[in-house]
Amino acid sequence: MDPNQDLGVDAGDQIHHPVFERCFREHYADVLAFALRRIAGRQTAEDIAAETFAVAWRRRDRIPDPPLPWMYGIAVKVIANQRRSLRRRGALEERLASEAEVAGPQSDLDEALHQRTTFATAFRHLSDSEREVLSLVVWEGLEPREAAVALDCSYAAFRVRFHRARRKLEKQLAAAGHLLPDSCRTAAPEPAEEAG
Amino acid sequence: MTARTTDKDAIAQMRDANRISAEELRADISAEELQRAMEVATALGESTQPAPGGATPARRGLRARRRPLTALAGFSAASVAAAVMLLSGSPGGGGEPAFAAAAIRVAEANPRLLVTEPGWSVIDAGEFEPNEGGIIFSDGEHELSVQWSPARLYEHYLRDRADVSTPETSRLLGRTATTVHYGGADYATMLSPTPTGSVFLEVRGGIAGTKGGLESRTEYETLLHSLNPVDVDTWLEAMPPNVVRPQDRGAAVERLLRGVPLPPGFDAAVLQGEGLVSDQYQLATTIGNAVACGWVESWLAATRSGDAAGAQEAIDAMVSSRDWQLMKTLGGYPTNISFVARELEHGHLNQGIAMKVVNEDRTGYQLGPAWATALDCKSDIWRRPLEAR
């Protein structure tokens, strides 16, 4: 039997779609972590994960292999909608999820908190899309090729965006006195995009 | 608090700032919780769109939920698709491999370099035109990409990259090689065009510190110096197999167009053209965008002339895109076609700016309209300098 065949849900509430089920069991935690890094609150993050897999369920006969970049691509859009909705209600309570966390037991608490607060401030100066470009690679651990899939852009375009975002982050960190001078670079126009 | 410097680069600091571990979450979620979450997600999916075949949604014990946030109000930037590709197989199953004329044109215009280090092969060739494209080599762990761009942009690239680090100049394969350092083990080298060449090359290691990234300059240099030019057939044979072969292309186009309403005056034969050789994904993108461009243009014309029936026909056609066979080939993404269809359906087609490109000196340009940029409707896209601010 074709594992991609639409098997749906039967009246007994049992989920019978091996591809979707495997995708869910293997990647629910990844998608939840993805949401937690971007949205405050476990409950909201669980809602985001549920919405993301709901979309995946509706497209269960088209789940690609590997599914994770595709799942992240859906989650990016679900979160964007969530943010728009929250902004409309004037109740955006969003932060860098790690900002409020305390350091690990081996760290100097004050220094660690300072570094993370500085980083969070610099990171917040990036646009949503710049944060996403960096996050997909650095936090989600996607290969740049996979991240390009998640963002529905070409590999070359992704690389341009990644380096632009990284440069901007470096400038922000340098401005906060939190990056050694020899790591600082100035942003410049990227001809690849212009050529494209 | 006094600012302090750190010897960690920006990416390392960002990695350190991550306190959410998927592995820890995975370990913390019980089998029951996971099962429950899956039931919630599938029920949610069922609640907004009837499952094919009339499957019954699972609803037992689920808490009330608002409608999911699946409607997308806009799209960010154009997917710069326009990729064209290559390769044919062995005609009739025998004899020497024959390549599509389009692929041969790409190869003939290209310096055709291959990494010759053992274990390295081409893993991706998603963009492939004579004057613009790129391929990615990998050994399964690390990556090196070779992009080609029009020779006329070479000086522009050099000026831009000079801002990255102090360029180092050497000679490689009879060309001027200009290497810049992005940090860590992240290097790029531009190879000058030959006097008669139409393209120049940019060789680049995987992004340092990420998957596929290289580990040292030595590794980069080894790979860089292992690049060797090969003949047309050898180069094309090295390309990955997941491409549409010429003898299959007609059937692929026909299959992808099945069930797709074509806009007035649309010439499907163009899609069969020699210039449009693509892997399945890109072919589906190209076809889908071409059809969608036609329908939006048709809607605009009908709206301008007061042809209500024509406008509605265009809307209906776009709304039907969710059922097009080719959308399945696109992997189930809510594509730009879906977004534009939704905008048309709801009567607010975004005809504004799609994106702004702002340089350091605050000059730049903007692209639009949003719908045409998203669908890559080249003849409809305008580019304007940024207004003075």
Side-chain angles (χ1 to χ4, degrees), chain B residues 93-108:
Chain B
E96 290 299 305
F99 301 104
I104 293 171
R105 279 198 293 276
V106 175
E108 286 177 343

Side-chain angles (χ1 to χ4, degrees), chain A residues 55-75:
Chain A
V55 175
W57 172 253
R58 290 198 293 274
R59 299 189 166 98
R60 55 195 177 275
D61 58 339
R62 316 172 209 169
I63 295 174
D65 184 22
L68 206 47
W70 179 74
M71 294 298 307
Y72 287 155
I74 296 172

